[in-house]
Amino acid sequence: MTSIDATALATLRDTVRGPVVTPVDTGYDEARSLYNAMIDRRPAAVAGCVDAADVRAVLAFAQESGIDLAVRGGGHSGPGLCMIDGGLTLDLSPMRWVRVDPGAGTVQAGGGSQLGDLDHATHTFGRGVPAGIMSTTGVGGLTLGGGHGHLTRAYGLTIDSLVAADVVLADGTFVTASEQEHPDLFWALRGGGGNFGVVTSFTYRLHPVDTVGVAVTVWPVERTAEVLRWYREFLPAAPDELNGFFALLAVPPGPPFPEEIHGQKMCGVIWCYTGDLADGRLEETLAPVDDPAPPAFHFTSPMPYPALQSMFDDLIPKGLQWYWRGDFFDAISDRAIEVYEKYGRALPTALSTMHLYPVDGAAHRVAPTETPWAYRDAMWSGVVAGIDPDPANAERIRQWCIDFWTELHPHSMGGAYVNFLGQEESTDRVRSTYRDSYNRLSEVKRHYDPDNFFHANQNITPAAA
């Protein structure tokens, strides 16, 4: 493992205000730990940054020492790309702050913030940002990859609400990217990942979000075919105020689920309704859930939006074994439904799952060239995830995921949401994820990072000069 010269390390520690942790320091294992415990990497150092000055100092140190650099935001990073064996991790997690401007209708979040921080700060104003489904997700990685979640059909992708980003470039230059300043960089940041610089803050446009209608509907896994045939027709025709992601799951042992179905393999939909909740309109909107088959359980309730965002946090905490792969779909074909049913019946562990997130509605009303998100014609973003706390099951969940994805991929559009690319994806998969946007991203990369300094990511290589 690469080590850092003691004199250079002392200089770095004197320069930055955040903690610099190495293998000989107490707290090293915690500093290098990842959300996905299947990945175990040992960097030479993890340098916490409390502000842009720290970021500039760490970047300069990495440039001068020639050490590989990775950047860590809020910390989910499914494939663990924020840690490199023998490299240096620039850790933004100390930059965890949110500032709301209710008059301007915007919110600014530090690069190490999590969605829970964003939701907490904005909820008091009856506003929110369309972003993810878990409060522990990092704002940075989610946004730079595009960002979909409970509010996608109502308000679009996270990048569709991004209005500016503060960025430290590879050469240490600090810029603000927006439609008016560095518009080419701003375009690239809205889906192009962490390829272009270190984003120290994001500014978003706010939307009306307060109490939402939440519903959870599950059916026996044997009803997967009937439910999916109904779901593929029902949701796209529903008002944009209704979002619902389809899942294959084992029912978790806790509320709101009754004890008699705990542990049973099911298919289901988690619904979020941003429309008027008066006069039973949520229940009226979801009355058709009886059409495919009688649900084993159907729960509806008004809920503060941050409560919905944190509903799954305790179910899948940091430190589990994860293996995932994703794809975009423009349809749910009958042949694909056969695959979903087959692997739903074969869920290998209690936490393993498959999700289909709708990416239509407001997300379809953005031109395909306006951002690098190249699948504005997709209807669903799918992910297959093998999950378990026991390392002894790592190969089992990995193989289930690979087999499931291999049979499902021929029914997909070819590319995947970049944040659902796993730790063993090829360069071709990155290209297929960006379609025709890749060449333009490569040109922006050449301008802002010609030496590919930021390469510890789903990498976009600089265009040839």
Side-chain angles (χ1 to χ4, degrees):
M1 181 182 69
T2 302
S3 60
I4 299 175
D5 175 78
T7 301
L9 183 63
T11 300
L12 178 63
R13 282 180 164 144
D14 288 342
T15 305
V16 301
R17 298 176 68 189
V20 179
V21 183
T22 70
V24 300
D25 296 317
T26 301
Y28 173 72
D29 284 338
E30 177 58 29
R32 70 182 183 90
S33 67
L34 295 166
Y35 184 80
N36 182 358
M38 190 179 286
I39 301 166
D40 181 22
R41 298 198 177 120
R42 300 185 65 84
V46 177
C49 296
V50 302
D51 54 23
D54 278 1
V55 171
R56 297 185 71 194
V58 173
L59 290 182
F61 176 85
Q63 295 268 24
E64 292 165 5
S65 62
I67 194 170
D68 274 347
L69 181 91
V71 180
R72 183 179 201 167
H76 262 206
S77 187
L81 299 177
C82 55
M83 293 287 162
I84 306 174
D85 283 327
L88 173 64
T89 288
L90 187 159
D91 187 0
L92 294 170
S93 60
M95 298 179 68
R96 192 171 168 179
W97 53 265
V98 179
R99 185 176 302 114
V100 180
D101 186 339
T106 60
V107 58
Q108 186 180 24
S113 301
Q114 297 182 357
L115 298 190
D117 305 321
L118 190 64
D119 297 332
H120 171 78
T122 58
H123 182 67
T124 190
F125 299 100
R127 306 289 186 87
V129 176
I133 66 162
M134 289 187 65
S135 75
T136 57
T137 303
V139 163
L142 179 114
T143 302
L144 294 173
H148 53 57
H150 291 300
L151 303 179
T152 298
R153 299 191 77 240
Y155 296 128
L157 304 173
T158 306
I159 53 175
D160 301 335
S161 294
L162 187 68
V163 296
D166 290 334
V167 190
V168 182
L169 304 176
D171 64 1
T173 303
F174 180 89
V175 301
T176 297
S178 67
E179 292 283 7
Q180 293 74 38
E181 303 176 78
H182 300 277
D184 52 343
L185 175 61
F186 183 60
W187 175 85
L189 293 175
R190 288 178 290 167
N195 277 281
F196 308 97
V198 180
V199 181
T200 58
S201 78
F202 299 84
T203 302
Y204 306 94
R205 183 185 309 108
L206 290 168
H207 302 271
V209 185
D210 195 346
T211 298
V212 297
V214 174
V216 178
T217 313
V218 294
W219 297 262
V221 73
E222 293 79 14
R223 295 291 192 177
T224 297
E226 295 100 313
V227 172
L228 273 174
R229 283 195 291 266
W230 166 79
Y231 171 79
R232 71 186 179 186
E233 303 296 331
F234 171 74
L235 189 62
D240 290 351
E241 291 81 9
L242 181 67
N243 200 88
F245 72 85
F246 178 87
L248 296 168
L249 72 157
V251 175
F257 300 104
E259 188 174 352
E260 58 266 25
I261 65 170
H262 288 176
Q264 291 188 25
K265 294 177 181 178
M266 298 272 180
C267 65
V269 183
I270 291 81
W271 308 97
C272 174
Y273 181 65
T274 56
D276 188 349
L277 295 176
D279 303 323
R281 293 187 185 180
L282 172 62
E283 290 76 14
E284 179 183 347
T285 301
L286 291 177
V289 299
D290 290 324
D291 290 353
F297 175 72
H298 179 62
F299 162 87
T300 63
S301 177
M303 190 177 292
Y305 179 64
L308 170 61
Q309 285 283 77
S310 59
M311 209 162 76
F312 304 111
D313 292 357
D314 291 340
L315 181 64
I316 42 178
K318 178 180 178 180
L320 301 175
Q321 304 285 308
W322 280 77
Y323 191 91
W324 67 13
R325 290 191 178 185
D327 268 319
F328 284 118
F329 300 89
D330 56 3
I332 301 172
S333 69
D334 288 345
R335 293 294 299 277
I337 287 173
E338 293 175 6
V339 180
Y340 290 124
E341 183 168 22
K342 173 182 175 180
Y343 285 93
R345 290 172 182 263
L347 286 169
T349 60
L351 294 176
S352 293
T353 189
M354 186 286 307
H355 292 173
L356 282 172
Y357 296 98
V359 289
D360 60 328
H364 275 194
R365 292 192 285 276
V366 176
T369 57
E370 191 169 324
T371 70
W373 177 282
Y375 283 83
R376 293 285 178 176
D377 52 341
M379 295 296 291
W380 285 278
S381 170
V383 62
V384 178
I387 312 170
D388 195 68
D390 188 351
N393 286 328
E395 182 55 32
R396 182 182 175 201
I397 61 176
R398 177 183 177 277
Q399 196 59 53
W400 173 81
C401 179
I402 290 173
D403 292 345
F404 193 163
W405 182 87
T406 300
E407 288 196 41
L408 192 59
H409 182 64
H411 308 289
S412 76
M413 300 175 75
Y417 176 39
V418 69
N419 288 347
F420 286 160
L421 295 182
Q423 56 261 46
E424 299 173 341
E425 303 282 2
S426 66
T427 301
D428 287 343
R429 280 284 280 165
V430 176
R431 284 182 172 271
S432 68
T433 286
Y434 289 113
R435 285 175 158 175
D436 293 341
S437 295
Y438 187 89
N439 288 339
R440 182 177 172 186
L441 286 167
S442 187
E443 292 289 345
V444 177
K445 178 79 169 181
R446 179 178 65 179
H447 182 76
Y448 288 95
D449 184 20
D451 298 323
N452 203 15
F453 180 62
F454 298 110
H455 61 270
N457 43 45
Q458 303 294 0
N459 195 234
I460 294 163
T461 56

